[in-house]
Amino acid sequence: MVLKGKSIWQQSNCIACHQVYGLGGYLGPDLTNTYTLRGPAYITAFLQSGTAIMPKFHLKKIEIEALLAYLQNLDASGKADPRTFTINTNGTIEQ
Ligand code: HEC
Protein backbone atom coordinates (compact mmCIF):
# COMPACT_ATOMS: atom_id res chain seq x y z
CA MET A 1 0.00 0.00 0.00
CA VAL A 2 2.81 2.41 0.93
CA LEU A 3 4.73 1.65 -2.28
CA LYS A 4 1.58 2.02 -4.37
CA GLY A 5 1.04 5.37 -2.67
CA LYS A 6 4.59 6.40 -3.44
CA SER A 7 4.11 5.62 -7.13
CA ILE A 8 0.86 7.65 -7.18
CA TRP A 9 2.78 10.48 -5.48
CA GLN A 10 5.38 10.27 -8.27
CA GLN A 11 2.87 9.89 -11.12
CA SER A 12 0.76 12.80 -9.85
CA ASN A 13 3.91 14.94 -9.59
CA CYS A 14 3.02 16.25 -6.12
CA ILE A 15 6.72 17.07 -5.66
CA ALA A 16 6.46 19.80 -8.34
CA CYS A 17 4.64 21.95 -5.76
CA HIS A 18 5.33 20.23 -2.41
CA GLN A 19 8.47 19.29 -0.49
CA VAL A 20 9.50 16.15 1.36
CA TYR A 21 12.12 16.97 4.01
CA GLY A 22 12.45 20.44 2.53
CA LEU A 23 13.19 19.24 -1.02
CA GLY A 24 10.82 19.80 -3.91
CA GLY A 25 8.70 22.62 -5.30
CA TYR A 26 7.81 25.62 -3.15
CA LEU A 27 4.34 26.56 -4.37
CA GLY A 28 2.67 24.46 -1.65
CA PRO A 29 3.74 23.44 1.88
CA ASP A 30 6.13 20.65 2.95
CA LEU A 31 4.08 17.48 3.34
CA THR A 32 6.50 15.35 5.39
CA ASN A 33 4.50 15.69 8.60
CA THR A 34 1.11 16.68 7.23
CA TYR A 35 -0.41 13.34 8.22
CA THR A 36 -0.25 14.11 11.96
CA LEU A 37 -0.51 17.88 11.57
CA ARG A 38 -3.74 17.76 9.54
CA GLY A 39 -5.04 14.19 9.48
CA PRO A 40 -6.36 11.94 6.70
CA ALA A 41 -9.79 13.60 6.28
CA TYR A 42 -8.21 17.01 5.66
CA ILE A 43 -5.72 15.57 3.14
CA THR A 44 -8.50 13.68 1.34
CA ALA A 45 -10.53 16.90 1.06
CA PHE A 46 -7.58 18.67 -0.57
CA LEU A 47 -7.09 15.85 -3.08
CA GLN A 48 -10.77 15.70 -4.02
CA SER A 49 -11.54 19.42 -4.10
CA GLY A 50 -8.24 21.14 -4.87
CA THR A 51 -7.86 24.90 -4.34
CA ALA A 52 -7.39 27.94 -6.57
CA ILE A 53 -3.75 26.87 -6.99
CA MET A 54 -3.70 23.13 -6.35
CA PRO A 55 -5.46 21.04 -9.02
CA LYS A 56 -8.20 18.56 -8.18
CA PHE A 57 -6.93 14.98 -8.50
CA HIS A 58 -9.41 12.49 -9.90
CA LEU A 59 -8.15 9.54 -7.88
CA LYS A 60 -10.06 6.40 -6.99
CA LYS A 61 -10.80 5.73 -3.30
CA ILE A 62 -8.16 2.98 -3.24
CA GLU A 63 -5.59 5.38 -4.74
CA ILE A 64 -6.35 8.01 -2.10
CA GLU A 65 -5.97 5.34 0.61
CA ALA A 66 -2.59 4.35 -0.85
CA LEU A 67 -1.46 7.98 -0.95
CA LEU A 68 -2.55 8.40 2.68
CA ALA A 69 -0.59 5.26 3.64
CA TYR A 70 2.48 6.75 1.93
CA LEU A 71 2.07 10.10 3.73
CA GLN A 72 1.56 8.30 7.07
CA ASN A 73 4.72 6.24 6.51
CA LEU A 74 6.65 9.35 5.50
CA ASP A 75 5.44 11.17 8.62
CA ALA A 76 6.61 8.30 10.84
CA SER A 77 10.13 8.52 9.35
CA GLY A 78 11.00 11.78 11.17
CA LYS A 79 10.35 15.50 11.52
CA ALA A 80 11.07 17.84 8.63
CA ASP A 81 10.92 21.21 10.37
CA PRO A 82 14.44 22.11 11.62
CA ARG A 83 12.92 24.88 13.79
CA THR A 84 11.63 22.16 16.11
CA PHE A 85 15.11 20.65 16.63
CA THR A 86 17.16 21.22 19.78
CA ILE A 87 20.75 22.29 19.04
CA ASN A 88 23.15 21.12 21.72
CA THR A 89 26.24 23.11 22.71
CA ASN A 90 28.48 20.40 21.25
CA GLY A 91 26.90 20.93 17.82
CA THR A 92 24.73 17.81 17.74
CA ILE A 93 20.99 18.07 17.22
CA GLU A 94 18.03 16.25 18.73
CA GLN A 95 14.61 15.89 17.18
C1 HEC B 1 0.24 22.89 -8.99
C2 HEC B 1 0.80 22.73 -7.67
C3 HEC B 1 0.34 21.61 -6.77
C4 HEC B 1 0.34 20.25 -7.03
C5 HEC B 1 0.77 19.54 -8.30
C6 HEC B 1 -0.11 19.62 -5.81
N1 HEC B 1 -0.39 20.56 -4.85
FE1 HEC B 1 -1.04 20.20 -2.95
N2 HEC B 1 -1.13 22.21 -2.58
C7 HEC B 1 -0.71 23.19 -3.47
C8 HEC B 1 -0.84 24.49 -2.82
C9 HEC B 1 -0.46 25.83 -3.44
C10 HEC B 1 -1.36 24.24 -1.52
C11 HEC B 1 -1.70 25.26 -0.42
C12 HEC B 1 -3.14 25.67 -0.54
C13 HEC B 1 -3.31 26.78 -1.51
O1 HEC B 1 -2.59 27.80 -1.39
O2 HEC B 1 -4.11 26.65 -2.44
C14 HEC B 1 -1.52 22.80 -1.41
C15 HEC B 1 -1.99 22.16 -0.27
C16 HEC B 1 -1.98 20.79 -0.09
C17 HEC B 1 -2.36 20.12 1.13
C18 HEC B 1 -2.76 20.80 2.44
C19 HEC B 1 -1.50 21.02 3.25
C20 HEC B 1 -1.69 21.82 4.50
O3 HEC B 1 -0.84 21.68 5.40
O4 HEC B 1 -2.64 22.60 4.59
C21 HEC B 1 -2.22 18.79 0.92
C22 HEC B 1 -2.46 17.66 1.92
C23 HEC B 1 -1.76 18.61 -0.45
N3 HEC B 1 -1.64 19.85 -1.04
C24 HEC B 1 -1.49 17.39 -1.03
C25 HEC B 1 -1.08 17.21 -2.34
C26 HEC B 1 -0.82 15.92 -2.95
C27 HEC B 1 -0.87 14.58 -2.22
C28 HEC B 1 -0.50 16.15 -4.26
C29 HEC B 1 -0.24 15.14 -5.33
C30 HEC B 1 -1.30 14.17 -5.56
C31 HEC B 1 -0.53 17.61 -4.46
N4 HEC B 1 -0.89 18.20 -3.28
C32 HEC B 1 -0.22 18.24 -5.65
C33 HEC B 1 -0.25 23.01 -4.76
C34 HEC B 1 -0.13 21.79 -5.40
Side-chain angles (χ1 to χ4, degrees), residues 30 33-39 75:
D30 187 303
N33 302 119
T34 302
Y35 195 88
T36 43
L37 289 174
R38 310 288 197 191
D75 180 40

Side-chain angles (χ1 to χ4, degrees), residues 9 12-14 17-18 27-29 31 34 38 42-43 46-47 51 53-55 57 67:
W9 168 269
S12 309
N13 211 11
C14 311
C17 299
H18 292 282
L27 201 55
L31 297 183
T34 302
R38 310 288 197 191
Y42 180 96
I43 298 171
F46 262 85
L47 291 170
T51 67
I53 309 172
M54 178 169 152
F57 286 88
L67 206 42

Side-chain angles (χ1 to χ4, degrees), residues 68-90:
L68 289 173
Y70 169 66
L71 289 175
Q72 185 177 24
N73 191 267
L74 179 66
D75 180 40
S77 70
K79 288 200 172 27
D81 186 356
R83 287 170 300 186
T84 64
F85 297 172
T86 307
I87 303 170
N88 298 321
T89 47
N90 66 2

